[in-house]
mmCIF file of all heavy atoms in Angstrom:
data_model
loop_
_atom_site.group_PDB
_atom_site.id
_atom_site.type_symbol
_atom_site.label_atom_id
_atom_site.label_comp_id
_atom_site.label_asym_id
_atom_site.label_seq_id
_atom_site.Cartn_x
_atom_site.Cartn_y
_atom_site.Cartn_z
ATOM 1 N N ARG A 1 107.732 81.053 126.536
ATOM 2 C CA ARG A 1 107.800 79.737 125.941
ATOM 3 C C ARG A 1 107.756 79.874 124.397
ATOM 4 O O ARG A 1 106.914 80.649 123.811
ATOM 5 C CB ARG A 1 106.558 78.940 126.358
ATOM 6 C CG ARG A 1 106.388 77.529 125.695
ATOM 7 C CD ARG A 1 105.080 76.833 126.156
ATOM 8 N NE ARG A 1 103.884 77.723 126.056
ATOM 9 C CZ ARG A 1 103.088 77.807 125.010
ATOM 10 N NH1 ARG A 1 103.428 77.162 123.948
ATOM 11 N NH2 ARG A 1 102.115 78.547 125.076
ATOM 12 N N VAL A 2 108.547 79.004 123.733
ATOM 13 C CA VAL A 2 108.524 79.173 122.191
ATOM 14 C C VAL A 2 107.440 78.430 121.612
ATOM 15 O O VAL A 2 107.220 77.310 121.982
ATOM 16 C CB VAL A 2 109.897 78.618 121.741
ATOM 17 C CG1 VAL A 2 109.895 78.598 120.071
ATOM 18 C CG2 VAL A 2 111.183 79.308 122.173
ATOM 19 N N SER A 3 106.679 79.117 120.826
ATOM 20 C CA SER A 3 105.471 78.390 120.173
ATOM 21 C C SER A 3 105.703 78.523 118.651
ATOM 22 O O SER A 3 106.214 79.561 118.063
ATOM 23 C CB SER A 3 104.209 79.261 120.468
ATOM 24 O OG SER A 3 103.233 78.873 119.676
ATOM 25 N N TYR A 4 105.520 77.415 118.044
ATOM 26 C CA TYR A 4 105.575 77.390 116.487
ATOM 27 C C TYR A 4 104.101 77.401 115.884
ATOM 28 O O TYR A 4 103.973 76.896 114.798
ATOM 29 C CB TYR A 4 106.296 76.027 116.016
ATOM 30 C CG TYR A 4 107.790 76.195 116.319
ATOM 31 C CD1 TYR A 4 108.570 75.014 116.300
ATOM 32 C CD2 TYR A 4 108.491 77.401 116.417
ATOM 33 C CE1 TYR A 4 110.042 75.037 116.545
ATOM 34 C CE2 TYR A 4 109.909 77.455 116.650
ATOM 35 C CZ TYR A 4 110.554 76.300 116.723
ATOM 36 O OH TYR A 4 111.898 76.429 116.907
ATOM 37 N N ASP A 5 103.302 78.062 116.583
ATOM 38 C CA ASP A 5 101.869 78.232 116.115
ATOM 39 C C ASP A 5 102.038 79.606 115.309
ATOM 40 O O ASP A 5 101.536 80.618 115.789
ATOM 41 C CB ASP A 5 100.845 78.356 117.132
ATOM 42 C CG ASP A 5 99.447 78.383 116.808
ATOM 43 O OD1 ASP A 5 99.267 78.501 115.611
ATOM 44 O OD2 ASP A 5 98.480 78.499 117.624
ATOM 45 N N TYR A 6 102.585 79.478 114.234
ATOM 46 C CA TYR A 6 102.950 80.748 113.437
ATOM 47 C C TYR A 6 101.758 81.488 112.991
ATOM 48 O O TYR A 6 101.861 82.772 112.785
ATOM 49 C CB TYR A 6 103.653 80.278 112.159
ATOM 50 C CG TYR A 6 105.170 79.671 112.445
ATOM 51 C CD1 TYR A 6 105.441 78.354 112.257
ATOM 52 C CD2 TYR A 6 106.143 80.433 112.824
ATOM 53 C CE1 TYR A 6 106.628 77.859 112.508
ATOM 54 C CE2 TYR A 6 107.406 79.976 113.078
ATOM 55 C CZ TYR A 6 107.661 78.617 112.932
ATOM 56 O OH TYR A 6 108.874 78.069 113.188
ATOM 57 N N ASP A 7 100.540 80.948 112.881
ATOM 58 C CA ASP A 7 99.374 81.680 112.531
ATOM 59 C C ASP A 7 99.110 82.842 113.519
ATOM 60 O O ASP A 7 98.399 83.808 113.182
ATOM 61 C CB ASP A 7 98.271 80.801 112.367
ATOM 62 C CG ASP A 7 98.175 79.989 111.161
ATOM 63 O OD1 ASP A 7 98.783 80.456 110.213
ATOM 64 O OD2 ASP A 7 97.655 78.824 111.186
ATOM 65 N N LYS A 8 99.638 82.590 114.774
ATOM 66 C CA LYS A 8 99.449 83.628 115.778
ATOM 67 C C LYS A 8 100.582 84.772 115.831
ATOM 68 O O LYS A 8 100.614 85.549 116.666
ATOM 69 C CB LYS A 8 99.205 83.009 117.222
ATOM 70 C CG LYS A 8 97.994 82.162 117.344
ATOM 71 C CD LYS A 8 97.886 81.583 118.750
ATOM 72 C CE LYS A 8 96.487 80.945 118.882
ATOM 73 N NZ LYS A 8 96.351 79.720 118.020
ATOM 74 N N LEU A 9 101.569 84.554 114.953
ATOM 75 C CA LEU A 9 102.770 85.323 114.972
ATOM 76 C C LEU A 9 102.908 86.253 113.809
ATOM 77 O O LEU A 9 103.992 86.644 113.404
ATOM 78 C CB LEU A 9 104.044 84.463 115.069
ATOM 79 C CG LEU A 9 104.055 83.563 116.236
ATOM 80 C CD1 LEU A 9 105.243 82.491 116.197
ATOM 81 C CD2 LEU A 9 104.021 84.229 117.576
ATOM 82 N N ASN A 10 101.777 86.540 112.959
ATOM 83 C CA ASN A 10 101.803 87.366 111.867
ATOM 84 C C ASN A 10 100.632 88.223 111.722
ATOM 85 O O ASN A 10 99.632 88.112 112.467
ATOM 86 C CB ASN A 10 102.123 86.490 110.672
ATOM 87 C CG ASN A 10 100.911 85.487 110.409
ATOM 88 O OD1 ASN A 10 99.815 85.921 110.631
ATOM 89 N ND2 ASN A 10 101.165 84.363 109.988
ATOM 90 N N ILE A 11 100.792 89.218 110.817
ATOM 91 C CA ILE A 11 99.692 90.022 110.415
ATOM 92 C C ILE A 11 99.381 89.549 108.966
ATOM 93 O O ILE A 11 100.308 89.667 108.126
ATOM 94 C CB ILE A 11 100.076 91.572 110.484
ATOM 95 C CG1 ILE A 11 100.515 91.947 111.885
ATOM 96 C CG2 ILE A 11 98.963 92.428 109.984
ATOM 97 C CD1 ILE A 11 99.393 91.733 112.908
ATOM 98 N N ALA A 12 98.050 89.318 108.775
ATOM 99 C CA ALA A 12 97.760 88.655 107.499
ATOM 100 C C ALA A 12 98.139 89.415 106.180
ATOM 101 O O ALA A 12 98.499 88.873 105.217
ATOM 102 C CB ALA A 12 96.317 88.282 107.468
ATOM 103 N N ASN A 13 97.937 90.767 106.291
ATOM 104 C CA ASN A 13 98.225 91.506 105.028
ATOM 105 C C ASN A 13 99.592 92.236 105.037
ATOM 106 O O ASN A 13 99.780 93.251 104.345
ATOM 107 C CB ASN A 13 97.093 92.419 104.735
ATOM 108 C CG ASN A 13 96.974 93.640 105.802
ATOM 109 O OD1 ASN A 13 97.445 93.424 106.884
ATOM 110 N ND2 ASN A 13 96.134 94.538 105.540
ATOM 111 N N SER A 14 100.516 91.843 105.916
ATOM 112 C CA SER A 14 101.832 92.383 105.872
ATOM 113 C C SER A 14 102.690 91.767 104.722
ATOM 114 O O SER A 14 102.302 90.646 104.221
ATOM 115 C CB SER A 14 102.567 92.165 107.198
ATOM 116 O OG SER A 14 102.798 90.764 107.453
ATOM 117 N N PHE A 15 103.720 92.523 104.235
ATOM 118 C CA PHE A 15 104.527 91.988 103.254
ATOM 119 C C PHE A 15 105.888 92.753 103.239
ATOM 120 O O PHE A 15 105.981 93.841 103.754
ATOM 121 C CB PHE A 15 103.857 92.068 101.884
ATOM 122 C CG PHE A 15 103.580 93.488 101.502
ATOM 123 C CD1 PHE A 15 104.537 94.329 100.911
ATOM 124 C CD2 PHE A 15 102.301 94.024 101.653
ATOM 125 C CE1 PHE A 15 104.188 95.536 100.441
ATOM 126 C CE2 PHE A 15 101.961 95.231 101.313
ATOM 127 C CZ PHE A 15 102.965 96.136 100.709
ATOM 128 N N TYR A 16 106.814 92.077 102.562
ATOM 129 C CA TYR A 16 108.147 92.763 102.353
ATOM 130 C C TYR A 16 108.407 92.429 100.833
ATOM 131 O O TYR A 16 108.711 91.295 100.529
ATOM 132 C CB TYR A 16 109.197 92.249 103.367
ATOM 133 C CG TYR A 16 110.516 92.910 103.089
ATOM 134 C CD1 TYR A 16 110.709 94.159 103.529
ATOM 135 C CD2 TYR A 16 111.634 92.081 102.513
ATOM 136 C CE1 TYR A 16 111.926 94.748 103.441
ATOM 137 C CE2 TYR A 16 112.878 92.856 102.520
ATOM 138 C CZ TYR A 16 112.905 94.090 102.923
ATOM 139 O OH TYR A 16 114.132 94.750 102.720
ATOM 140 N N ALA A 17 108.503 93.401 100.033
ATOM 141 C CA ALA A 17 108.778 93.197 98.641
ATOM 142 C C ALA A 17 110.003 93.878 98.124
ATOM 143 O O ALA A 17 110.354 95.000 98.577
ATOM 144 C CB ALA A 17 107.590 93.733 97.790
ATOM 145 N N THR A 18 110.837 93.155 97.340
ATOM 146 C CA THR A 18 112.039 93.620 96.787
ATOM 147 C C THR A 18 112.244 93.428 95.342
ATOM 148 O O THR A 18 111.782 92.333 94.849
ATOM 149 C CB THR A 18 113.187 93.108 97.633
ATOM 150 O OG1 THR A 18 113.279 91.701 97.501
ATOM 151 C CG2 THR A 18 113.258 93.586 99.019
ATOM 152 N N ARG A 19 112.967 94.217 94.641
ATOM 153 C CA ARG A 19 113.542 93.981 93.421
ATOM 154 C C ARG A 19 114.938 94.204 93.388
ATOM 155 O O ARG A 19 115.404 95.313 93.630
ATOM 156 C CB ARG A 19 112.857 94.924 92.287
ATOM 157 C CG ARG A 19 111.406 94.598 91.961
ATOM 158 C CD ARG A 19 110.858 95.596 91.032
ATOM 159 N NE ARG A 19 109.597 95.248 90.454
ATOM 160 C CZ ARG A 19 108.885 96.042 89.668
ATOM 161 N NH1 ARG A 19 109.339 97.132 89.237
ATOM 162 N NH2 ARG A 19 107.664 95.668 89.297
ATOM 163 N N THR A 20 115.794 93.105 93.050
ATOM 164 C CA THR A 20 117.252 93.136 93.225
ATOM 165 C C THR A 20 117.825 92.932 91.872
ATOM 166 O O THR A 20 117.497 91.975 91.171
ATOM 167 C CB THR A 20 117.740 92.126 94.201
ATOM 168 O OG1 THR A 20 116.984 92.316 95.517
ATOM 169 C CG2 THR A 20 119.203 92.218 94.440
ATOM 170 N N LEU A 21 118.820 93.808 91.550
ATOM 171 C CA LEU A 21 119.520 93.561 90.272
ATOM 172 C C LEU A 21 121.083 93.800 90.623
ATOM 173 O O LEU A 21 121.552 94.666 91.335
ATOM 174 C CB LEU A 21 119.129 94.781 89.347
ATOM 175 C CG LEU A 21 119.879 94.894 88.060
ATOM 176 C CD1 LEU A 21 119.647 93.664 87.100
ATOM 177 C CD2 LEU A 21 119.544 96.122 87.228
ATOM 178 N N ALA A 22 121.745 92.900 89.985
ATOM 179 C CA ALA A 22 123.200 92.921 90.070
ATOM 180 C C ALA A 22 123.804 92.661 88.632
ATOM 181 O O ALA A 22 123.549 91.629 87.998
ATOM 182 C CB ALA A 22 123.788 91.839 90.982
ATOM 183 N N THR A 23 124.612 93.595 88.159
ATOM 184 C CA THR A 23 125.229 93.411 86.904
ATOM 185 C C THR A 23 126.731 93.670 86.907
ATOM 186 O O THR A 23 127.167 94.444 87.845
ATOM 187 C CB THR A 23 124.596 94.366 85.810
ATOM 188 O OG1 THR A 23 124.983 95.732 86.252
ATOM 189 C CG2 THR A 23 123.114 94.232 85.757
ATOM 190 N N ALA A 24 127.498 93.130 86.051
ATOM 191 C CA ALA A 24 128.960 93.428 85.946
ATOM 192 C C ALA A 24 129.410 93.157 84.580
ATOM 193 O O ALA A 24 128.878 92.144 83.892
ATOM 194 C CB ALA A 24 129.731 92.509 87.032
ATOM 195 N N THR A 25 130.438 93.872 84.128
ATOM 196 C CA THR A 25 131.115 93.554 82.881
ATOM 197 C C THR A 25 132.494 93.926 82.993
ATOM 198 O O THR A 25 132.977 94.769 83.786
ATOM 199 C CB THR A 25 130.432 94.206 81.715
ATOM 200 O OG1 THR A 25 130.917 93.850 80.458
ATOM 201 C CG2 THR A 25 130.543 95.781 81.871
ATOM 202 N N GLY A 26 133.457 93.276 82.194
ATOM 203 C CA GLY A 26 134.787 93.567 82.255
ATOM 204 C C GLY A 26 135.548 92.950 81.157
ATOM 205 O O GLY A 26 135.157 92.191 80.407
ATOM 206 N N LEU A 27 136.850 93.365 81.032
ATOM 207 C CA LEU A 27 137.863 92.908 80.117
ATOM 208 C C LEU A 27 138.998 92.364 80.872
ATOM 209 O O LEU A 27 139.590 93.046 81.766
ATOM 210 C CB LEU A 27 138.255 93.980 79.097
ATOM 211 C CG LEU A 27 137.345 94.526 78.037
ATOM 212 C CD1 LEU A 27 137.840 95.662 77.356
ATOM 213 C CD2 LEU A 27 137.017 93.293 77.109
ATOM 214 N N ASP A 28 139.516 91.148 80.376
ATOM 215 C CA ASP A 28 140.721 90.646 80.917
ATOM 216 C C ASP A 28 141.693 90.596 79.770
ATOM 217 O O ASP A 28 141.511 90.061 78.737
ATOM 218 C CB ASP A 28 140.509 89.140 81.400
ATOM 219 C CG ASP A 28 139.774 89.138 82.664
ATOM 220 O OD1 ASP A 28 140.103 89.897 83.606
ATOM 221 O OD2 ASP A 28 138.773 88.311 82.830
ATOM 222 N N TRP A 29 142.945 91.124 80.029
ATOM 223 C CA TRP A 29 143.884 91.235 78.966
ATOM 224 C C TRP A 29 145.282 90.723 79.599
ATOM 225 O O TRP A 29 145.783 91.390 80.493
ATOM 226 C CB TRP A 29 143.994 92.654 78.398
ATOM 227 C CG TRP A 29 145.132 92.871 77.422
ATOM 228 C CD1 TRP A 29 145.510 91.859 76.419
ATOM 229 C CD2 TRP A 29 145.845 94.004 77.136
ATOM 230 N NE1 TRP A 29 146.460 92.356 75.621
ATOM 231 C CE2 TRP A 29 146.693 93.689 76.042
ATOM 232 C CE3 TRP A 29 145.878 95.207 77.736
ATOM 233 C CZ2 TRP A 29 147.605 94.704 75.632
ATOM 234 C CZ3 TRP A 29 146.854 96.120 77.318
ATOM 235 C CH2 TRP A 29 147.712 95.977 76.294
ATOM 236 N N ALA A 30 145.773 89.600 79.015
ATOM 237 C CA ALA A 30 147.075 89.067 79.444
ATOM 238 C C ALA A 30 148.111 89.786 78.469
ATOM 239 O O ALA A 30 148.369 89.309 77.395
ATOM 240 C CB ALA A 30 147.113 87.660 79.327
#
């Protein structure tokens, strides 16, 4: 049975941490 009692579906001190970087540079010449 699907339960949305989310407090029972986690570990209190778990985490997922990320640092994301995206860079681009360029020249357009007609």
Side-chain angles (χ1 to χ4, degrees):
R1 172 180 56 86
V2 176
S3 169
Y4 288 158
D5 188 355
Y6 291 107
D7 286 331
K8 294 182 173 63
L9 305 177
N10 61 37
I11 302 299
N13 64 347
S14 63
F15 61 84
Y16 184 72
T18 59
R19 286 179 174 176
T20 306
L21 173 67
T23 65
T25 186
L27 285 171
D28 288 314
W29 178 32

